[in-house]
Amino acid sequence: MSKRYVYLLVLLFVLVISAILLNNLLLGNAKQIRLKAADPLSSAVSRTLGSSGSSDGLAKEGQDYTVDYKKSFDNNTWFVVRIEPGSGKSFDPGVIILRDNHGLILPVVGPGSIFSKDITSILPNDVVQFLNDGGYINVPESD
Amino acid sequence: MYPNQIDTSPRLRRLILLIFWVVAIYCIYSVVSAALIKRSTGVLNVSSNVIGASIIISQDQRDSRLAGTGSASVRLKPGKYQIYVYANDYQRAEEVTIYKGSVIDRKINLIGAASKKNGNGIFDLLPYIGPGADYYISSTPITEGGGSGPSITITEYDNKSGQDALEWIRSLGYDPNDYIINHVPMTAGNGL
């Protein structure tokens, strides 16, 4: 191999090291995040589930869970979302009650398959009615 | 052939040259794209008082991404974003606007979570019924099959009673801004 090729390899090495250093200098340790278009409720469900069921970041719809249905109440302020775990995922199916708080969709209750009657005091009547009809509220049996 | 030369076939020489140019072009591309990313994005540094708190970045009509735990530093394109911080049963969310070249630092404290080792703070005092039953302050219970909340729900007769409820929280030394608070109007169904 001629000296020319040895110089070429050294130059290549210097180029790669310089590129790595310049990249670090320009971007620091802040990684760029690109957010894909998604349904806001699915996004909220993924946040609520966190990393449960997913080894890489948040749970993903269609992979870690599927949405059975979404129902909105009170002019799209309250939402009830029923989810099913994806195949091989450990969490239970159930519903999540979400609320749009000035553009921030936050979980209020859930996920769960049956809730204590206490939650009815913090939910609007139509949501309570819906949960009651679906058998999600635990009503103690009277003697 | 010179003494310091080893015979190299033309095919090998072409391969070495090809590898050189491919790697060189990739290096130049990565530096140029890093410079463009730096010019077109802003930096958001988020930290929380809870080690291990999940820091999630989201945007309207877009998905959510886990940026880090405890603290995170991310580059984002200009726009309005939501930062969600979750730890155990506590959550907090804030909005932030990113501009080109901006560096924004946000400290999002989960007061309740930090004080949990010394009790549940304000949640130990709930539910609370305000004077004249004008408002009712309750916490979201922890649910079966996973957790959410506890957030605070103020069931209020009117705006003034809602403000009175917030004042009661402040009088105990807690900042209402540190909690997720849902305001619910008092109705025949949920009234006292």
Side-chain angles (χ1 to χ4, degrees):
Chain A
M1 193 182 294
S2 71
K3 271 187 177 173
R4 186 181 162 207
Y5 290 101
V6 175
Y7 292 146
L8 217 57
L9 282 175
V10 172
L11 185 63
L12 196 65
F13 180 75
V14 171
L15 208 61
V16 170
I17 297 295
S18 306
I20 292 169
L21 290 175
L22 270 171
N23 257 299
N24 277 336
L25 196 71
L26 287 166
L27 300 179
N29 58 356
K31 59 182 175 184
Q32 192 188 10
I33 283 186
R34 290 191 178 95
L35 302 171
K36 292 177 191 160
D39 177 77
L41 282 183
S42 299
S43 186
V45 169
S46 294
R47 288 195 300 273
T48 308
L49 294 174
S51 58
S52 58
S54 177
S55 57
D56 173 31
L58 301 178
K60 294 181 184 74
E61 189 188 355
Q63 188 179 322
D64 300 306
Y65 69 91
T66 52
V67 174
D68 261 7
Y69 61 75
K70 304 165 188 174
K71 192 153 174 58
S72 63
F73 299 88
D74 297 358
N75 206 15
N76 288 331
T77 310
W78 289 84
F79 307 93
V80 176
V81 181
R82 183 179 158 79
I83 56 162
E84 290 278 349
S87 59
K89 302 300 172 187
S90 57
F91 55 86
D92 296 325
V95 296
I96 303 173
I97 298 143
L98 302 154
R99 188 183 180 200
D100 188 335
N101 200 342
H102 306 292
L104 300 169
I105 300 178
L106 295 164
V108 178
V109 182
S113 48
I114 187 132
F115 303 106
S116 144
K117 202 171 186 304
D118 297 346
I119 66 160
T120 56
S121 64
I122 58 161
L123 301 176
N125 291 341
D126 43 2
V127 175
V128 171
Q129 187 61 48
F130 181 80
L131 293 174
N132 252 328
D133 294 347
Y136 294 110
I137 306 283
N138 183 25
V139 182
E141 286 180 22
S142 54
D143 296 327
Chain B
M1 190 190 297
Y2 296 103
N4 60 350
Q5 279 183 318
I6 301 165
D7 186 27
T8 311
S9 71
R11 278 183 72 179
L12 185 60
R13 270 182 281 172
R14 276 203 298 273
L15 185 67
I16 290 170
L17 271 176
L18 183 70
I19 291 170
F20 173 83
W21 282 114
V22 167
V23 174
I25 288 167
Y26 179 76
C27 287
I28 292 164
Y29 164 78
S30 73
V31 172
V32 170
S33 69
L36 290 175
I37 288 170
K38 184 182 167 70
R39 273 188 64 181
S40 64
T41 57
V43 176
L44 173 65
N45 299 312
V46 186
S47 60
S48 168
N49 60 332
V50 180
I51 299 164
S54 299
I55 296 169
I56 297 166
I57 308 291
S58 189
Q59 201 175 20
D60 281 347
Q61 307 295 325
R62 295 199 171 264
D63 66 359
S64 301
R65 291 281 298 274
L66 183 68
T69 52
S71 65
S73 182
V74 290
R75 281 194 172 273
L76 297 164
K77 286 192 169 176
K80 195 181 269 187
Y81 292 84
Q82 293 101 40
I83 313 166
Y84 295 86
V85 179
Y86 292 82
N88 301 320
D89 298 323
Y90 293 83
Q91 59 178 329
R92 194 163 162 199
E94 281 189 14
E95 278 196 319
V96 65
T97 303
I98 302 289
Y99 302 98
K100 277 182 189 175
S102 63
V103 178
I104 295 170
D105 296 308
R106 280 291 172 91
K107 172 103 179 161
I108 301 180
N109 287 337
L110 296 166
I111 301 289
S115 63
K116 196 169 184 179
K117 58 181 181 289
N118 299 321
N120 287 321
I122 193 168
F123 295 105
D124 284 339
L125 306 169
L126 301 180
Y128 175 76
I129 301 170
D134 276 352
Y135 62 85
Y136 174 70
I137 308 176
S138 58
S139 63
T140 303
I142 293 167
T143 59
E144 296 171 37
S148 73
S151 59
I152 293 172
T153 296
I154 298 175
T155 308
E156 59 202 32
Y157 179 71
D158 55 17
N159 272 349
K160 187 189 172 302
S161 55
Q163 291 305 314
D164 289 345
L166 295 176
E167 198 49 51
W168 177 78
I169 293 171
R170 283 190 202 97
S171 71
L172 296 169
Y174 298 104
D175 183 352
N177 293 322
D178 291 333
Y179 300 91
I180 303 296
I181 297 183
N182 302 312
H183 290 266
V184 178
M186 199 176 281
T187 61
N190 64 14
L192 300 167

